[in-house]
Structures are given as structure tokens and as C-alpha cells.
Amino acid sequence: MAFRKAVKGTLIGGGAIATAFGLSQFFEYRRNQARLAYVEAEGQMKMPFEDKLPTRQEQLATLQNTPEFDVLVVGGGATGAGCALDAVTRNLKTALVERSDFSSGTSSRSTKLIHGGVRYLQKAIMKLDYEQYMMVKEALHERANLLEIAPHLSAPLPIMLPVYKWWQLPYYWAGIKMYDLVAGSHCLKSSYVLSKSKALELFPMLKKDKLVGAIVYYDGQHNDSRMNLAIALAAARYGAAIANYTEVVRLLKMTDSATGKERVCGARCRDVTTGQEFDVRAKCVINATGPFTDSLRKMDNQETANICQPSAGVHIVIPGYYSPDNMGLLDPATSDGRVIFFLPWEKMTIAGTTDTPTDVTAHPIPMEEDINFILSEVRNYLSPDVEVRRGDVLAAWSGIRPLVTDPNSKDTQSICRNHVVSISNTGLVTIAGGKWTTYRSMAEETLDAAIKEHKLPAGPSRTMGLMLEGGKDWTPTLYIRLVQDYGLENEVAQHLAATYGGRAFEVAKMAQVTGKRWPIVGKRLHVLLIF
């Protein structure tokens, strides 16, 4: 009975979703083709700093000496950097300030996945939720774009979903196939079913008892912090003035002579390293500060209500022998209903994430109970031969997700990763919520709203298909040229190619001679350290 209900609910829900929204795939394709045609017709965009980037001091001088920018973005995470890149490639005079380092916050503390969200699609199907369906659809489209524009930092990753009850096999299979269907032409690789023996062959650490089989689907994996930096560097190359360790002290305001209303016209900034303060004036200020969204909104208006409900996500790093080198694992239903990913990463294994309400802090610390929760869930899926030990936790981090508050929600687990673009009475543009995968489309929507509100002279977004820093000249065999041309160790060459892409040769030129017959160059800072 449970089996028939599960399959029936899946098929009916899936059919309704496919029927109701299937045409949107075609219309989105036509819109994207038109947008790409526009970018192609415009030709190559001017890149003022293609060879050498301005130093931080030069960027600070530009921030201080420019009479007025079109756009000032506050926040150097993925969304803020994406807004800066979107703005500057629309020929808007753009500035960005970040009070710490680029990607030092939430954007570097993710699960390292570029994904649409399998669990959100499940909710969309079971509840016929159009909003969540569209969020998954948009994320899958952006996943394909991100894999294309930064191939050195991202790649498809197979993820296994082990099945321990017979009735779950068709249920999960139908859901994962729907995931492929929604991705459409952007599907990375088709999902497939594995027998018990084949599942254990590919993931030998898996618990054998009661294992029925497994389903494998594909999502993207990326180096989140480097990806964030690549977006920021691309913005700088196209002419945006960006500076880290530059915090906003207060917002600047002026009275609009035409309407008599008070409007935000820039920000008072402080160089964190020197304490020097200066004004950055702009026609439009964009608040892209993630978990600190409400702090900046209250600089604009102390009486404004909070729109973010922060949630802590904890991940742990354990030795690589806990998982295969090229296969992830998804636990779709943990003991308390949360989802746990178990993924290979940099020859180690990442396990996470938790999802619990938290207070906003600059440096969140992972709680011991969250670490033990992850270990407990991991233990449930691994063979008894693999002793899951607290002492094997090599590192742990906590990231604060800036979830948009839903007044009808009882906990953060049920909050969707949708984003909100809001504009205050004084013209402050805020982008809140969302997820890593959709940073580009979020930035595009934010700039569209800002341009309309502030009547800025700009055309459509041009970031779709725009290569990020290092992506243009990268090839899968680039590391071989580094080995052959510079005499680098194979491992070091692979690391440089995967981190810097086409710019890896510039890094290799700075490597020290080892004084050995091999490797010729690439003296390590430490015998075990890959820099």
C-alpha cells in the first residue's frame, strides 16, 4: 500500500508539474538564445585591465577620487561580486567594497556543490509548488552556465543515493528522473540505477546490510572560494573598482530636489587596515551583505523589519578513505529529516550540512553537537568495518545562510532558498536570500531593478556565458604543459591548473628553483603543502 501510494503520488505529481510547466522550458530557451545573440552582436567587451590588475592601493585611490559611481555594491561574497560584474559589463561605473576578504564569509563555507536542489524538487512535486519548481529550474540552468564559464574550478560529480527498502527504489528513481527532466538540455548526465553489487563496487565503504541498490545522479562541484574570487577578479578586469578590508561606516543621504525625498547617495567607508575614512558616492547603492543584510538596512532605517532568518550550516572534513575519489553520497532522510551530503574533496571527504537557527556573527564556530550529529548520520551509512571516529575530524566550519524569513515557517529547514530584491523608500537596493548556484541570475535581477529605480543608462545583462578569471585558456591537459615547460611536479601542476586555470603560467613563472634534477622548479613552502 505504501509502495503504491508513493509511486502514484510521484507519477501524478510529476505529470502535473511536467504538464503545467513543460512549455516554460521552450520559452526560457528562446529568451536565452535572444540574450546570447545580443551579447554576440555586441562583440567583445572592452577589458581595461586584461594584462595587469590595479593594486589595492590603486583601487582605493579610484574609490576616493571618483566624483560619483553609477553603482556601489556593498559585500564581496558571490552575490555582491556577481552584482559588480553584471553592472560593470553593462558599462556602468561600478564600485564594490567588502569589510573582510572576498569570500571570507558564507560563500566559502558551502557544500561545494553547484546544484538545483533535489529535495526542493521533491517538495515542488508533492505539494505542486510552482515557486519551488521554478527555483529548481533556474538553478539547474545556472548550474550549466557556471560549469561552462569556469571549467577549471568546477566539474560534474556523480552522487549516489543508497536504497535500503524495495519500495523506495521506484519512488526515488521517479524523483531523480524528474530532476533530469527539469534540467532538460542542461542535464549533465542521465541518472541510472545500480544493483547492490555494483553499488558496493563503486562505493565499497557503504553498509551492505539490507542494501537493495542505489541510484546515481549528477550535480556540479566547485571550489567555492576560488569561484567567488574569480567573479570579483573578472569584475576588476572589466573596470570595477573593488577593495577588500573596506567597511561601510554609514550610508550617505541627500534630498532629491525634484521630489523632496531623502535618497541614499553613497557610503562612508573605512579602510580596516589603516583606519582611514572616506566617502564613496554613487547613484545607486546595492546591499549584498548576506547574513548582515538587515544590519545595512537598519543603517538606512532603524525602524525597518528584519527580512533574514539566519541558519547555520556545519561541515566537517574527514580523511579521504571514508569515500571513493570520484563518487559522492546523499542521505535524503536523516534521523531528524535533514539532508546530509558525503562528498570527495581535495583528496579528503566533506560531510554536512546541518541546518539550525543561529545568531549572526562575523566568525561562526561549529558546535560540537552538530559535528557529532554529522558523524552519527555518516555512521549509519558506512560499513561496520569503517570505524567513524571523532578524532578523524580534521577540520570543521560553520557558514551562515541568509535565508529569507517566511512568517508561516516553524523552522529554517522548511524555508526555501528563494531570493528577494527589495528597494527602500530612500532607494537602497537589497538582494537577500538565494543560493550559490543562482548568484548570476540574482545579480541580473538586482541590476534590472536598480537600473529601473535609479534610471541608469544601461542595457540587458551580458554575463550569461561570460568566462570568469582563468577559464578562457584552460584545457583538461593544461597541467601537462606546466610539467613539460617548467619542470613542475605533476601534483603541483594539476593544483595550479585547477586553481588558476589559464593564469597558471603566471604563477609558475614565480616558482623558485629547487636545486634538484627533478622537479626543476616549484620549491614547496612545506614538504606536504600544496600552496
Side-chain angles (χ1 to χ4, degrees):
M1 182 64 71
F3 167 78
R4 284 185 295 180
K5 284 185 178 180
V7 174
K8 183 179 179 181
T10 302
L11 294 178
I12 293 176
I17 290 287
T19 302
F21 309 128
L23 287 176
S24 64
Q25 297 277 5
F26 172 74
F27 291 125
E28 182 185 13
Y29 171 78
R30 294 296 299 271
R31 285 196 300 271
N32 288 332
Q33 289 303 307
R35 183 162 50 188
L36 289 172
Y38 165 81
V39 173
E40 185 177 353
E42 284 294 294
Q44 183 65 36
M45 287 178 284
K46 183 179 179 182
M47 187 182 287
F49 304 108
E50 186 170 3
D51 297 324
K52 185 179 180 181
L53 284 168
T55 65
R56 180 173 180 273
Q57 289 305 314
E58 291 171 335
Q59 294 280 38
L60 286 171
T62 301
L63 290 173
Q64 296 174 38
N65 299 329
T66 301
E68 185 181 49
F69 289 94
D70 292 318
V71 174
L72 167 61
V73 182
V74 183
T79 305
C83 286
L85 180 59
D86 191 283
V88 75
T89 52
R90 297 194 198 204
N91 295 318
L92 293 173
K93 192 177 294 184
T94 305
L96 180 147
V97 294
E98 160 61 43
R99 74 175 182 179
S100 188
D101 212 344
F102 301 113
S103 193
S104 60
T106 302
S107 295
S108 63
R109 304 177 187 184
S110 72
T111 313
K112 319 299 182 189
L113 286 178
I114 312 171
H115 62 130
V118 172
R119 60 172 170 157
Y120 300 132
L121 181 60
Q122 180 189 31
K123 292 179 181 179
I125 293 173
M126 303 307 278
K127 299 180 180 179
L128 296 180
D129 190 324
Y130 176 80
E131 184 179 2
Q132 293 211 43
Y133 167 82
M134 291 306 296
M135 185 201 71
V136 174
K137 184 169 176 291
E138 177 188 48
L140 290 171
H141 176 263
E142 293 298 324
R143 179 189 69 178
N145 180 66
L146 199 49
L147 289 167
E148 178 184 345
I149 65 178
H152 59 305
L153 297 172
S154 58
L157 176 71
I159 300 176
M160 182 182 292
L161 197 161
V163 179
Y164 287 91
K165 295 179 181 179
W166 279 107
W167 69 266
Q168 290 179 333
L169 197 59
Y171 174 71
Y172 286 142
W173 178 85
I176 293 298
K177 278 300 175 185
M178 181 61 67
Y179 194 60
D180 292 348
L181 178 64
V182 173
S185 62
H186 301 303
C187 181
L188 301 180
K189 293 183 181 180
S190 182
S191 57
Y192 54 91
V193 177
L194 292 174
S195 65
K196 175 180 179 178
S197 60
K198 191 64 178 179
L200 291 172
E201 179 183 333
L202 293 177
F203 208 116
M205 307 84 175
L206 209 56
K207 184 172 68 175
K208 303 176 184 178
D209 295 348
K210 300 182 180 179
L211 181 66
V212 172
I215 300 169
V216 175
Y217 73 98
Y218 286 80
D219 257 326
Q221 186 176 48
H222 72 147
N223 187 328
D224 53 4
S225 56
R226 294 297 311 184
M227 186 74 78
N228 191 161
L229 188 57
I231 300 167
L233 288 172
R237 289 201 182 277
Y238 282 103
I242 67 174
N244 56 0
Y245 295 101
T246 305
E247 67 175 345
V248 170
V249 178
R250 67 174 184 276
L251 296 175
L252 304 178
K253 296 184 179 181
M254 61 176 287
T255 301
D256 189 328
S257 58
T259 62
K261 294 182 179 179
E262 196 174 46
R263 304 285 286 179
V264 173
C265 63
R268 180 72 172 178
C269 298
R270 184 174 72 90
D271 183 344
V272 176
T273 63
T274 65
Q276 179 188 3
E277 294 190 5
F278 56 91
D279 291 340
V280 179
R281 297 195 173 273
K283 296 172 185 175
C284 170
V285 176
I286 295 177
N287 174 12
T289 54
F292 301 94
T293 292
D294 290 322
S295 298
L296 197 68
R297 292 176 71 245
K298 289 184 184 298
M299 283 188 188
D300 179 32
N301 178 7
Q302 281 289 338
E303 303 302 319
T304 191
N306 290 344
I307 63 171
C308 280
Q309 183 172 326
S311 168
V314 172
H315 296 80
I316 63 173
V317 179
I318 49 184
Y321 54 69
Y322 275 90
S323 67
D325 292 336
N326 59 352
M327 179 71 73
L329 183 75
L330 169 65
D331 179 357
T334 61
S335 57
D336 66 352
R338 294 182 284 194
V339 171
I340 290 288
F341 283 99
F342 196 62
L343 309 170
W345 178 252
E346 299 284 349
K347 299 183 179 179
M348 300 294 175
T349 300
I350 289 178
T353 177
T354 60
D355 195 356
T356 52
T358 186
D359 296 324
V360 177
T361 58
H363 303 287
I365 299 174
M367 303 297 292
E368 188 65 27
E369 59 190 64
D370 287 326
I371 294 174
N372 288 328
F373 168 78
I374 295 172
L375 290 173
S376 175
E377 295 302 323
V378 167
R379 194 174 289 112
N380 291 335
Y381 274 84
L382 296 186
S383 167
D385 295 336
V386 181
E387 184 182 354
V388 180
R389 305 174 299 182
R390 176 62 178 84
D392 279 345
V393 177
L394 305 174
W397 67 81
S398 176
I400 301 178
R401 302 186 186 92
L403 305 184
V404 180
T405 301
D406 178 359
N408 298 316
S409 173
K410 296 181 180 179
D411 55 63
T412 61
Q413 298 173 43
S414 58
I415 296 177
C416 185
R417 266 51 171 181
N418 287 351
H419 62 271
V420 170
V421 178
S422 67
I423 302 176
S424 70
N425 294 332
T426 60
L428 176 66
V429 180
T430 294
I431 169 67
K435 54 191 291 185
W436 225 121
T437 309
T438 56
Y439 85 91
R440 193 212 61 83
S441 59
M442 290 164 58
E444 178 181 344
E445 183 179 335
T446 303
L447 264 297
D448 285 343
I451 289 167
K452 181 179 180 181
E453 171 69 17
H454 294 275
K455 298 178 175 58
L456 302 175
S461 174
R462 304 175 70 184
T463 54
M464 177 65 70
L466 183 67
M467 299 300 289
L468 298 183
E469 179 81 358
K472 184 178 179 181
D473 299 318
W474 179 85
T475 66
T477 56
L478 181 143
Y479 77 94
I480 298 176
R481 288 174 54 199
L482 290 170
V483 173
Q484 294 177 339
D485 294 352
Y486 293 91
L488 289 166
E489 287 180 85
N490 188 62
E491 186 180 31
V492 173
Q494 289 180 332
H495 173 77
L496 292 182
T499 304
Y500 300 99
R503 301 276 176 181
F505 295 97
E506 298 174 26
V507 181
K509 291 175 183 177
M510 296 185 286
Q512 295 182 24
V513 176
T514 62
K516 303 177 182 178
R517 292 188 64 186
W518 188 264
I520 299 171
V521 299
K523 188 175 182 180
R524 298 195 186 196
L525 300 176
H526 189 277
V527 66
L528 298 177
L529 183 63
I530 288 290
F531 50 89

